[in-house]
Amino acid sequence: MLCALGASVCFGTATVLQAIAARAAGPGTESSGPASGDAASGVDAALFLRAVREWRYLAGLALDGVGFVLQIAALRSLPIYAVGAALAASLAVTAVVAAWLLGVRLSGIEWGAVAVVCAGLAMLGLASGEEGDRAGSTALKYAMLATAFAVLLVGALAGRLPGRARALALGLGAGFGFGVVEVSVRLIESLTPSTLLTNPATYALLLGGGAAFLLLTSALQHGSVTTATAGLVVGETIGPAVVGVVWLGDRTREGLEWLAVLGFAVAVAGALALARFGEAPADDGAKAEPRTT
């Protein structure tokens, strides 16, 4: 569980940095005329190229890399539902970091939501058993690969939707992409090169993670990011948790199923209450310098 919480801290802090950089990168030339290409489809690949020139985005990428390693370690020893809830809790980390470094003011309700997330994770920590012992079927591996391609399709179609629906589609797409990563890690039995190259889950992990990252970067710069982040939380928690329980054998400690379900629901509900922090520091960060201690 420590690895899952460590990943949450890394991802939550990275969000603060990447949201500022995504907004600082600006819309480029797309604001001067009708949208075209990737911008029209809801996925702005050029935005990523502009954002990586910002040091804060690069720092966020480094934290994402550390978080991803910790996430893999957690998924190798914990049920997917526990890891997914911990990753959703990164929004609580984002809120606290934004309040500490950038002076973003949290309401009493939002501080309460942070406490709710922590309570939910504590319940999950007490109730979680070991990871499931079932090997994923070949059909499940190809299903993850198909889902990864579907994430790309969501991005391509998102630009045709009105603002709020577009943000939700981008967020859900990114969430499903990150969910593909969570499940695919469990479907990779061996790290030997020959096995990796012939395992569909390897390509599902790479494609799903890359597509999700691209959709999330676009969501940070376009539309209602609060709506997008809510979609992200739902997409990356519920589906993977169901796959883990139904197809991979994830279980809880004996007699504590109710506590695991309650903890999962509480942690996700608390994260949804903090959804605005998907873009929390973006506007404030452009006007204020980080605090120093």
Side-chain angles (χ1 to χ4, degrees), residues 171-236:
L172 277 173
F176 288 137
F178 289 127
V180 167
V181 171
E182 293 174 26
V183 175
S184 296
V185 168
R186 288 277 297 276
L187 297 177
I188 297 175
E189 302 88 358
S190 172
L191 298 180
T192 59
S194 59
T195 303
L196 283 175
L197 291 174
T198 57
N199 190 340
T202 302
Y203 303 101
L205 187 153
L206 296 174
L207 182 60
F213 198 80
L214 187 58
L215 265 64
L216 183 57
T217 300
S218 294
L220 288 173
Q221 206 265 338
H222 293 293
S224 171
V225 181
T226 299
T227 301
T229 305
L232 171 71
V233 170
V234 172
E236 75 175 345

Side-chain angles (χ1 to χ4, degrees), residues 28-243:
T29 59
E30 66 185 272
S31 61
S32 61
S36 61
D38 289 337
S41 69
V43 179
D44 186 1
L47 170 64
F48 176 77
L49 296 178
R50 295 193 300 271
V52 294
R53 300 173 187 171
E54 295 276 336
W55 71 266
R56 288 165 295 196
Y57 201 87
L58 295 176
L61 284 178
L63 284 173
D64 280 332
V66 175
F68 182 65
V69 172
L70 292 173
Q71 177 186 357
I72 290 176
L75 286 166
R76 290 294 185 179
S77 59
L78 287 175
I80 293 176
Y81 63 79
V83 178
L87 296 181
S90 65
L91 287 174
V93 176
T94 299
V96 172
V97 170
W100 176 43
L101 292 181
L102 299 171
V104 175
R105 181 170 296 180
L106 273 67
S107 68
I109 292 176
E110 288 169 336
W111 278 116
V114 172
V116 165
V117 169
C118 293
L121 291 178
M123 287 187 278
L124 271 175
L126 290 173
S128 296
E130 297 181 355
E131 64 170 332
D133 54 3
R134 295 182 199 165
S137 65
T138 300
L140 181 58
K141 295 174 183 177
Y142 278 107
M144 290 300 102
L145 185 56
T147 303
F149 278 109
V151 170
L152 285 176
L153 182 61
V154 167
L157 297 176
R160 304 184 181 186
L161 299 174
R164 190 174 182 86
R166 177 185 184 183
L168 182 60
L170 286 171
L172 277 173
F176 288 137
F178 289 127
V180 167
V181 171
E182 293 174 26
V183 175
S184 296
V185 168
R186 288 277 297 276
L187 297 177
I188 297 175
E189 302 88 358
S190 172
L191 298 180
T192 59
S194 59
T195 303
L196 283 175
L197 291 174
T198 57
N199 190 340
T202 302
Y203 303 101
L205 187 153
L206 296 174
L207 182 60
F213 198 80
L214 187 58
L215 265 64
L216 183 57
T217 300
S218 294
L220 288 173
Q221 206 265 338
H222 293 293
S224 171
V225 181
T226 299
T227 301
T229 305
L232 171 71
V233 170
V234 172
E236 75 175 345
T237 54
I238 297 177
V242 171
V243 172

